[in-house]
Amino acid sequence: MARRGCRWWLAVWLMGCGQVWGNPLPPLMGWLNGDFSSRTQAEEDRRFEAAELHARTIWPHEGPGYWLYLEQSLVARPAHPFRQRIFHLTDAGRGELLMVEYTMPKATDFAGAWRDPAKLRTLTPEQLSRRAGCELRLRRLPSGHYEGRNEIGRCPTNFAGADTLVQYIWIGPEHIRLLDRAYDQQGTLRWGSPGEGYVYLRVTP
């Protein structure tokens, strides 16, 4: 009985360790990959425009971690994205994930790469420019979803009179929510997403 009890407690302990130390990146990448739309939000709230978000895993052999190409465009102008980024996601330890943002040279040349990955064949990680200070730190919520933001005061911007940008993200299996807030040197809000930010719902084929 004693040996059997010891084996049972060992199994429970190993299961607990798996929960603590298991790699959360693969399931999260499954949530991030896909096609998303804010059309429903735009129909219900006139402050928002209908937009699309497309995300695809790229460079599977460029470890550690995962690389993600993300493209956003208005539904009315799908061929002209307003944001194109590449993110590198790694396990930062202590229950956090790090999402590092990069820009691309001549990003418009890669528009539509989510549909045609061959467009990215000539691009390598060495050609990217890291947006220093704009890294997003993600943590898991009790619901199982993820939320994250960059460190306040560290992400620079020079758009529309703002000096610093705070980016927030929430990720679930069927949605991605993005909220931007840009401030000047006096801490005055100069621009940003309205309300709760843009809610992109997964589009099923």
Side-chain angles (χ1 to χ4, degrees):
M1 289 292 294
R3 287 185 177 180
R4 191 174 302 170
C6 288
R7 287 197 295 268
W8 182 83
W9 278 109
L10 178 61
V12 171
W13 182 81
L14 289 173
M15 288 174 63
C17 288
Q19 291 175 352
V20 174
W21 300 108
N23 185 358
L25 279 170
L28 177 62
M29 294 305 298
W31 291 359
L32 284 169
N33 272 275
D35 305 307
F36 304 81
S37 173
S38 69
R39 187 188 298 271
T40 299
Q41 184 186 39
E43 291 173 351
E44 297 175 353
D45 190 334
R46 298 181 64 180
R47 294 176 300 171
F48 295 89
E49 294 188 69
E52 295 179 343
L53 184 154
H54 306 280
R56 297 290 188 275
T57 299
I58 60 172
W59 302 331
H61 305 298
E62 292 286 349
Y66 293 83
W67 293 88
L68 184 81
Y69 172 74
L70 186 146
E71 182 175 308
Q72 291 169 264
S73 61
L74 296 177
V75 169
R77 303 185 66 197
H80 302 280
F82 60 82
R83 179 178 291 175
Q84 293 170 261
R85 292 287 189 268
I86 288 178
F87 292 93
H88 186 205
L89 286 89
T90 55
D91 189 339
R94 298 185 178 181
E96 289 189 338
L97 302 176
L98 187 64
M99 192 170 178
V100 179
E101 184 176 352
Y102 293 86
T103 59
M104 299 165 282
K106 296 183 179 179
T108 53
D109 291 349
F110 305 102
W114 60 272
R115 183 188 296 110
D116 182 11
K119 289 187 174 185
L120 295 170
R121 284 179 184 167
T122 60
L123 190 65
T124 64
E126 291 73 25
Q127 295 173 281
L128 305 179
S129 297
R130 180 170 178 166
R131 295 195 66 203
C134 301
E135 300 86 358
L136 297 165
R137 288 193 172 271
L138 308 178
R139 66 182 184 90
R140 194 169 189 180
L141 300 172
S143 65
H145 296 180
Y146 285 85
E147 72 169 6
R149 66 166 172 82
N150 62 298
E151 189 173 345
I152 295 175
R154 295 293 302 276
C155 183
T157 182
N158 57 4
F159 180 71
D163 296 281
T164 185
L165 175 65
V166 185
Q167 296 176 300
Y168 300 85
I169 188 170
W170 292 265
I171 306 166
E174 299 299 326
H175 77 278
I176 297 174
R177 178 158 65 99
L178 300 174
L179 173 64
D180 294 343
R181 289 283 186 264
Y183 302 87
D184 62 20
Q185 293 183 350
Q186 288 71 46
T188 302
L189 178 66
R190 300 303 299 261
W191 56 268
S193 309
E196 63 184 4
Y198 274 82
V199 179
Y200 293 90
L201 302 180
R202 184 179 299 277
V203 177
T204 54

